[in-house]
Amino acid sequence: MSWKDSFYFTSSQRRALFLLSVISVLLFVCNLLLPTFLIHRNEKEVVDSVFLAKICSFKNTLNEQTYHGKTRNNSSSKQMNPFRFNPNTLDSTGFLRLGLSHFTVRNILKYRSKGGRFKYVNDFLKVYGISGEEFEVLSPFIEIPTIKKMKEEVAVVIKKESPVILNLNIADTAQLKTLKGIGSSFAKRIVAYRKKLGGFYSKHQLKEVWGLSTETYLQISPYLIVSSEFIIKIQVNQSSLEKLRSHPYINFYQARAIYEYRKDEGKIKSLEEAKLIEDENLTEEFWEKVVAYLEF
């Protein structure tokens, strides 16, 4: 018997040996993969447990709210601080003091800004965000005046807020600031420009004030009058060249032409005589603009 005979297997033995080898390989692979599978399974179980716990907590919250019945509305009602008020005139701070939420207050103000009015107490319940419990608490304190009374109140307010009529040539900065759109800066500019001119002969001259817009002029114009007797005039036959040119409407060349004519021809007796001065700078438009400030 040779040593090779020791490694000889029959057909049945070879099949058994092959099957045993396959089983061994499978067991080895399972031994490698099983720990990883168990770890993932444990993680999934942990995640599922957390998710289920959150669901249970949410259900308990819903059950608690259902059990107590309208908990939010009841709590808000307890926090209400009612006092007598007119929903058409109360400001946002007042509505918040009543105990209404910011959301509800915004809806009320938005409704009023679009021209909405509360004519009856029950109209207040139509505001989006006001619950029945809140309305029940506040309704006894709602005071809405009649249409006639509302018109009288509006008339009083308009009368109080309407500015007085001002004389543009004597109004000081404090009085000018009562006009809508006129602050300290514009009031000072108007007074300063009036001083340079010697006074205004027309309200339209306000448009020459630096920075004053047409819109602002149209707003304040109805509340202004002009009195020409307050205008300080320039003595043409006595003023120096510097005095003449200091006026906003008279430039150096125009002042020099008047001054030189007066020096050569003597006293200028009237506007008609002044218009005879031959100088391209002394146009008809110039005389029309400056005549209110000249005295011969």
Side-chain angles (χ1 to χ4, degrees):
M1 181 178 179
S2 67
W3 63 273
K4 293 182 179 181
D5 295 333
S6 300
F7 294 97
Y8 176 79
F9 298 96
T10 64
S11 175
S12 298
Q13 289 175 333
R14 284 197 298 271
R15 284 196 296 270
L17 184 60
F18 174 78
L19 183 61
L20 182 62
S21 299
V22 171
I23 293 172
S24 299
V25 171
L26 290 175
L27 290 175
F28 177 77
V29 172
C30 290
N31 186 51
L32 291 176
L33 297 179
L34 186 59
T36 304
F37 173 78
L38 291 176
I39 290 173
H40 285 295
R41 182 178 179 182
N42 291 335
E43 289 178 349
K44 186 176 183 303
E45 290 177 354
V46 171
V47 172
D48 291 342
S49 299
V50 173
F51 179 72
L52 289 173
K54 289 183 178 180
I55 291 177
C56 291
S57 176
F58 177 71
K59 287 183 177 180
N60 291 334
T61 303
L62 292 178
N63 290 335
E64 181 181 357
Q65 290 180 349
T66 304
Y67 176 78
H68 290 290
K70 296 182 181 179
T71 305
R72 182 176 298 179
N73 290 337
N74 289 336
S75 61
S76 63
S77 298
K78 293 178 182 178
Q79 296 174 1
M80 302 301 289
N81 181 33
F83 54 84
R84 297 192 179 279
F85 69 99
N86 182 351
N88 291 308
T89 57
L90 189 65
D91 58 15
S92 58
T93 304
F95 284 119
L96 292 173
R97 282 176 50 213
L98 286 171
L100 296 176
S101 66
H102 287 81
F103 173 76
T104 303
V105 174
R106 281 196 300 270
N107 289 336
I108 295 172
L109 298 181
K110 185 176 180 181
Y111 171 73
R112 289 193 336 202
S113 68
K114 293 183 177 180
R117 304 288 296 178
F118 299 99
K119 297 180 181 179
Y120 308 100
V121 173
N122 288 339
D123 290 345
F124 197 62
L125 183 58
K126 298 177 182 178
V127 176
Y128 184 68
I130 294 181
S131 66
E133 289 77 6
E134 289 173 334
F135 178 75
E136 185 177 353
V137 174
L138 295 177
S139 58
F141 298 91
I142 297 176
E143 294 183 343
I144 301 177
T146 61
I147 300 298
K148 181 180 179 181
K149 188 175 179 181
M150 288 171 61
K151 290 182 178 179
E152 292 175 351
E153 290 177 352
V154 170
V156 170
V157 171
I158 292 175
K159 186 176 180 181
K160 286 182 179 179
E161 293 182 351
S162 297
V164 296
I165 304 299
L166 299 179
N167 190 323
L168 192 54
N169 280 329
I170 59 175
D172 57 22
T173 54
Q175 292 172 318
L176 290 171
K177 286 193 294 184
T178 63
L179 298 171
K180 186 177 181 181
I182 302 298
S184 297
S185 297
F186 276 133
K188 291 178 182 177
R189 291 179 197 173
I190 292 172
V191 172
Y193 190 61
R194 181 180 69 192
K195 185 177 180 180
K196 286 182 178 181
L197 285 173
F200 296 100
Y201 62 77
S202 170
K203 291 187 289 185
H204 290 85
Q205 290 175 281
L206 276 177
K207 296 179 180 179
E208 300 169 11
V209 176
W210 181 78
L212 191 70
S213 66
T214 302
E215 182 181 359
T216 302
Y217 168 75
L218 293 175
Q219 285 180 345
I220 66 177
S221 180
Y223 308 106
L224 296 173
I225 60 172
V226 174
S227 298
S228 57
E229 64 265 24
F230 293 102
I231 293 178
I232 301 174
K233 296 191 176 185
I234 300 172
Q235 299 298 321
V236 176
N237 291 302
Q238 299 174 10
S239 299
S240 64
L241 176 62
E242 292 299 323
K243 175 64 177 177
L244 290 170
R245 66 175 295 192
S246 66
H247 195 277
Y249 291 169
I250 305 176
N251 61 36
F252 171 77
Y253 301 102
Q254 293 163 339
R256 185 178 64 179
I258 296 172
Y259 181 79
E260 293 293 338
Y261 179 87
R262 189 189 74 192
K263 188 171 67 171
D264 295 338
E265 303 295 334
K267 185 177 180 181
I268 302 174
K269 297 178 182 179
S270 65
L271 176 63
E272 286 70 21
E273 183 181 348
K275 288 182 178 181
L276 296 176
I277 300 174
E278 295 181 0
D279 190 282
E280 61 181 6
N281 294 295
L282 303 179
T283 63
E284 187 66 29
E285 183 182 356
F286 162 75
W287 290 117
E288 289 178 0
K289 190 173 183 180
V290 78
V291 65
Y293 299 102
L294 301 180
E295 189 168 75
F296 299 93

